[in-house]
Amino acid sequence: MSFVPADLRMAARALARSPGYAAAAILTLGLGIGACTAIFSAVHAVLVAPLPVSDAEGLVVPVVTDARRGVERGNVSWLDYEDWRRDKELFESVSVFAGQSLDMAGDGQPERIIGLIVSEDYFTVMRAAPALGRSFLPPEHLPGGPRVTVLSDALWRRRFGADPAVVGSTVRLDGEPYTVVGIMPAESVWPGTPEAWTPLQFGPSPPAWVLRRDNCIWQAVARLAPGLPPEQARARLEAMALRVQAENPESKAHSEYAALPLREYMVGRNARRTLLLLLGAVAFVLLIACVNVANLSVARAGSREREMAIRSALGAGRLRLAVQMLSESLLLSAGGGAAGALLAFWGIDLLLAGAPDAVPGLRSAGLNLPVLLFTTFACLAAALLSGAAPALHAGRGSAAESLKEAGPRQSGGRRGARTRAALVLAEVSLSLALLVGAGLMVRSLDRLHHADPGFHPGNLLTAGLSLPDARYPGDEDSSRFLQRAVEHAAALPGVVRAGAASALPLGGGGFYLGRSFLAEGWPEPPAGPSQSGQWSVVTPGYFETLGLRLIEGRLFTEQDTSSSQPVIVLGEKMARQMFPDGKVLGRRIRSWRDENLYREVVGVVGDVRWFDVSDEPRAVAYVPHRQNPWRSMSLVLRTQGDPRSALTQLRASIAALDAELAVADVLTMDEAFSRSIAGARFGSRLLAVFAALALLLAGVGIYGTVSFGVSQRTREIGIRMALGARPRDVMALVTWQGMRPALAGVAAGLLVAWGLSRLMTGLLFAVAPTDPLTYAATTCLLAGAAWLATWIPARRATRVNPLSALRED
């Protein structure tokens, strides 16, 4: 038998007679469905919604991986790119690119823009055509070719007021004139952050430094050959990797190739895992809400036993009674769905307000058609889940037995009591599993907050400078300018110290370069191993500005110049890797595949967390800027008060040295610290909210079950008290009967949490998935909430007047 209008009309009349019950059920389901809808909108936007590029399904990102070094998505070399270009059975088209910082000068203050230097076929791979003008022509990729650029829609509108006449005009980038040949439409290419594209001008004969197989400085994007199955693409890449390993045993012995789907590369493993964890957690909330409503419905069905028995006696079959209960559940779920959609509309805004910016596509989350279809599905699921128990309970047993058992103050008999106890057990176990997960995430976030980054991040301001080759052609020119810039910054009011570095800890900015090192006397690979570490170019005063701990030796001084002994300072981890015997000072090491210059170790400093707070301390080697001049550096200023108060004066100071140089990527180290834990904070806060909601629902469910039981057993309690039972005996009886299913639910919940928490391993920092403190605290919290939920009605039971109870029929 199917639902018919008559069943729905009857269900509506039945619910209208119990407005309190209907309102409570709709609100409970609305909370669960609304939370599910809000999280699903984020999951859909990030993991399901079409990407804003053409034919994104065929786009892949080729990467080099190295399990031995923990590299999952490394960049590629130029020779890798050449191999892939020739293999037309693998990729239809492929291109490489690299990020660049460009200072755009003109009217007003110079502006640092994010640029992308791209090889041929980049726009072909992306299948993206300019909205105005054209893309690059083949001659523009040749050495000495014309300086041309394509601008993004955002830059065109912000800087030039969307003037079509910009196409064909000249702009100044890094002090050089570039002709604007095109304007790209918004969100038509990947990556979507660049504001200007320039052609890579290597031509058919790239320089020698580019042709090193181990010089992996490029990102790649490719389009798979038509009809090529992923398995065959993987096999071709594996065969290619084996050939490269055999030909380059010293540098590529453990490298492997992979082609990741574009969405998988963009989102990343942790973001995907966090979103799916949140979706699972909110599904638990919806389940708990459904169990709660089911419990209310079973209790209400118990008070309707006489009604159901009469209908059964008049010929209504068990299926018909079940359909009637499901009809009521469907109406409640529809109301809950409407309430949930309204709550989700507000909840999505709250979700996005606390979401990290790094998750691609998240900002587009909203109540679109797929999300509303999911809400409809959630309503149907909620109707079945919350209506199944009362539907199965309806019409059980013979009509005569039901009429005999169902008095006006009965609870539906033993069947109803057992069903309600089972439902309490289910919602308590689900709640505890969610509480444990939230507790682990909160503990992990607390550990992140208190993690030692290796330096003092407070009162530190950082800002990037990029010196163009045209105005600073020689090493001495760039070195001299940076020295003056640091001196001027250190002399600003309120600035205590200043320095500069090519890369900042906590992922604060700069160019993060990994190199391979050999100590003096070590054989070159493959005859012997090398040690990997990060390469950071710094100025004198940088260590003191950050507050890095000097373990032994000395730091860099102004006497460490291009004409003095080449020196190097090692981080503690790097020193241990290179020299396990602990004898470090005076030893010599070299970056053997790059600079290949022996440098004397003059000092050892404490380790820092390099890429983010959760990152393990990395092996880092520091070299003085005057011995290895870089043109792109980040200034670091330690101030007495608010570090951003020095920004205006810093801009003026740099403008006095070079009016066309932009001060960009301004960030305080406190902001860098906060940004690096933004993902963990987002996930843990949402899980905590869901866990609190689950705890509230579980408490309300237990309270409702015990309270209903007390109201149905008033006569029994009165008889017990008339026969001499003391109030504490009644309280103990009621409390135990309420706590028994709750404690069973706690035991089941611990098993569920123990199994599910292992899925969170990759999201936790310095906390084990089986952390005993978290399990103990959440168990006590839930048990305490359950006890409180039973104590209140138990307390009310002790106030029953025996005479009044005995007079009741």
Side-chain angles (χ1 to χ4, degrees), residues 24 60 89 142 183 242 300 379 442 450 464 482 600 808:
V60 295
E89 294 182 8
L142 296 175
I183 307 294
L242 290 174
R300 181 168 173 268
C379 289
V442 169
H450 293 91
L482 188 65
E600 181 182 343
E808 291 184 6

Side-chain angles (χ1 to χ4, degrees), residues 401-647:
E401 291 175 352
S402 297
L403 285 170
K404 191 188 309 178
E405 190 178 54
R409 299 290 290 174
Q410 292 298 313
S411 62
R414 295 186 181 90
R415 292 193 306 272
R418 286 196 298 267
T419 302
R420 292 196 302 274
L423 291 172
V424 166
L425 186 153
E427 67 178 327
V428 168
S429 62
L430 292 172
S431 300
L432 183 58
L434 192 50
L435 278 170
V436 169
L440 290 172
M441 289 290 285
V442 169
R443 285 264 290 160
S444 177
L445 181 64
D446 181 68
R447 294 287 178 89
L448 282 171
H449 271 298
H450 293 91
D452 180 12
F455 64 99
H456 307 299
N459 301 106
L460 282 177
L461 179 72
T462 70
L465 298 177
S466 184
L467 308 181
D469 293 344
R471 297 201 303 279
Y472 303 91
D475 288 347
E476 283 300 320
D477 298 319
S478 60
S479 180
R480 191 179 307 112
F481 176 87
L482 188 65
Q483 184 179 6
R484 294 173 61 199
V486 171
E487 290 172 353
H488 281 221
L492 294 176
V495 176
V496 179
R497 286 185 178 276
S502 60
L504 298 172
L506 297 181
F511 187 78
Y512 295 88
L513 177 63
R515 286 185 168 175
S516 296
F517 297 86
L518 294 175
E520 189 172 21
W522 289 12
E524 293 184 0
S530 62
Q531 291 290 345
S532 299
Q534 293 290 314
W535 181 271
S536 183
V537 178
V538 303
T539 64
Y542 168 78
F543 298 112
E544 297 91 335
T545 302
L546 254 68
L548 264 67
R549 178 171 55 96
L550 178 63
I551 297 174
E552 59 177 320
R554 67 173 179 86
L555 304 175
F556 298 140
T557 68
E558 296 295 344
Q559 284 67 49
D560 295 315
T561 66
S562 57
S563 59
S564 66
Q565 166 71 35
V567 293
I568 194 167
V569 168
L570 302 182
E572 188 176 8
K573 183 173 182 177
M574 184 72 172
R576 288 197 307 269
Q577 284 185 182
M578 296 296 299
F579 307 107
D581 61 3
K583 299 176 181 178
V584 181
L585 298 183
R587 307 280 286 272
R588 300 204 306 166
I589 68 172
R590 59 181 172 131
S591 169
W592 70 280
R593 290 204 300 262
D594 301 279
E595 186 186 49
N596 207 18
L597 172 70
Y598 276 113
R599 292 180 172 275
E600 181 182 343
V601 180
V602 296
V604 177
V605 296
D607 290 327
V608 295
R609 298 190 183 270
W610 199 239
F611 294 108
D612 58 49
V613 180
S614 63
D615 184 37
E616 289 297 321
R618 297 295 179 111
V620 185
Y622 302 91
V623 296
H625 182 266
R626 297 184 70 180
Q627 293 185 356
N628 186 211
W630 280 36
R631 287 175 171 77
S632 291
M633 297 286 285
S634 294
L635 292 175
V636 186
L637 284 65
R638 183 169 292 280
T639 64
Q640 291 176 336
D642 178 12
R644 283 196 171 268
S645 63
L647 180 57

Side-chain angles (χ1 to χ4, degrees), residues 706 730-743 787 790 794:
V706 178
V730 173
M731 178 171 284
L733 173 67
V734 175
T735 301
W736 169 242
Q737 290 183 344
M739 284 296 293
R740 188 165 52 192
L743 292 175
W787 178 84
T790 59

